[in-house]
Amino acid sequence: MKTEGRIPIHSADPRIEESLKGLPLAQAIRVLVQADSDAGIFTYDHNRTPFYQVSSPDESVRFVLQLREERADRPKEPRSCPLDLAEVLRKARQHWFTLRLCGREMVALANSYPFLCSHVTLASGAHVPQFWRSGSEARTRANMECAVRDLYQLAAALPTFLVLFNASREVGASLPDHQHYHLAELPTGFGMLAIQQVAAKQPSAPFMPIGFQADYPVCAARFTGPEETVVQAATDFLHKWESILRGAATANIIATTEGGAVATYVVLRNSLFRVAQGFHGVLGSMEMAGLFILSSDYEFEAVRERRFVFSRMWGMLGEVRPPEAKLML
C-alpha cells in the first residue's frame, strides 16, 4: 500500500487492512480514526466541542479557546507505555497501522484523548526517548535533523493536517519516554492559527523570525523552501539555541502546508518556563500556535466569566518567552 508523497504504509491491523488498500495517508488516517470512533475509543466531535475566540483590538490576531474536559483524564504516569505496538496488540482494542518514515517504522494510533479532528499519534516503532539531546553533540544534532525532516515529510504528505512535535515534557510531551508526533486537522472553516496570522503580515521568506519584535508573545521562526533547505536551516536554528541555553534548551515544532508549500514553525522554549498562571497544565505546540486547549473546571469558569480576554492570553504566552531568545538574531 502506498500513501501520498513518499511515505508507504507498511502493515496494518487485520480488522482494517482491507479498507486501507490503495488509500493516501490522509484517508488512511480517517479510516483508522473512524474505526476507533465506532469502538468508542476516539471521542472527538468538533460539532459538540465548545470553541471561543478573542481578537486583538485591530482584529489582526485571533486566539482560540477550546474546552476539552476529557483531556484532564490522561494518565500522568502510565504503568506501561500506551504507544508500544506490543502493548496495543496485547489490549486488542485500538486499531493501528505502521508506516515507514525516513527508513524507520512508525505506528499510527488514533489519540485516546483527542483535541482536534482526525487526531492521530504517530509513534516510533522502537521505544526511544522523545527528546533529541544525547551525550554526543553530533548525535544531538542528528536527532534534531531527524525530527525536522520527519515533520516536513509528514506535512508534505498530509496537506490538510497540522504536524506537531513537543520536544520534551517541559513543553507538552505527556509521554517523554517514547518518541511521537501528533497529526490532526483543524475543523472546517477554522482559518489560520494565530502564529500563521502573524507570519502572513510579513513578506514571505525562507527564514522568517516571529516574536522578536513584539509582534507575537513567544519567539519563533518560520522556515519554507525545499526539504533539504528547511531541514538544514531549522536544525541550525535549534542547534544554536542548544548552544545558548545548554541543558534548558527545548522547543515546539509545528509543520503544515501553506499555499501548497510546507511551512515549519520552530518555537524556542526554556524548560524552566513551562506553565502560565491561570492555565492548567503545560503550554505545548497548540498553545504556542494560538489554540488553547482547556480541561479544568476553573478554566471553564474563567471562560464563562469572560476572563480569558486577548491581553490575558497574550500575557500567558509571554510568561514562557525565554529572555535569551534575543541572542538568536
Side-chain angles (χ1 to χ4, degrees), residues 67-210:
L67 310 188
R68 287 294 294 164
E69 187 175 6
E70 297 88 345
R71 293 282 295 174
D73 297 331
R74 288 178 298 165
K76 302 300 186 290
E77 298 290 342
R79 293 182 179 180
S80 57
C81 180
L83 301 183
D84 283 337
L85 183 55
E87 180 68 12
V88 174
L89 294 176
R90 185 183 70 80
K91 293 181 178 178
R93 291 189 68 235
Q94 279 185 285
H95 300 77
W96 57 272
F97 65 77
T98 70
L99 54 80
R100 296 286 186 181
L101 181 62
C102 299
R104 303 176 340 274
E105 185 176 59
M106 306 289 285
V107 181
L109 301 166
N111 195 287
S112 300
Y113 301 93
F115 54 75
L116 281 175
C117 307
S118 306
H119 184 180
V120 164
T121 301
L122 189 65
S124 170
H127 190 80
V128 296
Q130 175 84 335
F131 203 23
W132 46 55
R133 188 168 297 126
S134 169
S136 159
E137 183 176 349
R139 184 69 258 167
T140 294
R141 182 183 173 90
N143 290 343
M144 291 174 174
E145 182 176 316
C146 180
V148 175
R149 190 179 301 280
D150 284 351
L151 266 65
Y152 189 102
Q153 291 198 6
L154 287 166
L158 295 164
T160 64
F161 279 67
L162 299 171
V163 186
L164 313 172
F165 179 59
N166 299 318
S168 62
R169 182 187 294 278
E170 295 81 7
V171 295
S174 57
L175 294 169
D177 295 332
H178 196 130
Q179 187 184 45
H180 61 282
Y181 309 127
H182 293 278
L183 318 177
E185 294 181 288
L186 293 167
T188 302
F190 188 95
M192 292 190 296
L193 293 160
I195 198 169
Q196 296 175 295
Q197 295 162 23
V198 172
K201 297 178 185 179
Q202 303 185 45
S204 184
F207 169 76
M208 181 187 297
I210 297 170

Side-chain angles (χ1 to χ4, degrees), residues 60-64 116 162 164 186 190-200 216 254 256 258 265 285-292:
S60 64
V61 180
R62 172 190 59 119
F63 291 131
V64 176
L116 281 175
L162 299 171
L164 313 172
L186 293 167
F190 188 95
M192 292 190 296
L193 293 160
I195 198 169
Q196 296 175 295
Q197 295 162 23
V198 172
Y216 200 63
I254 303 123
T256 191
E258 296 176 354
Y265 293 82
S285 292
M286 285 281 51
E287 287 75 30
M288 294 301 103
L291 172 56
F292 290 69

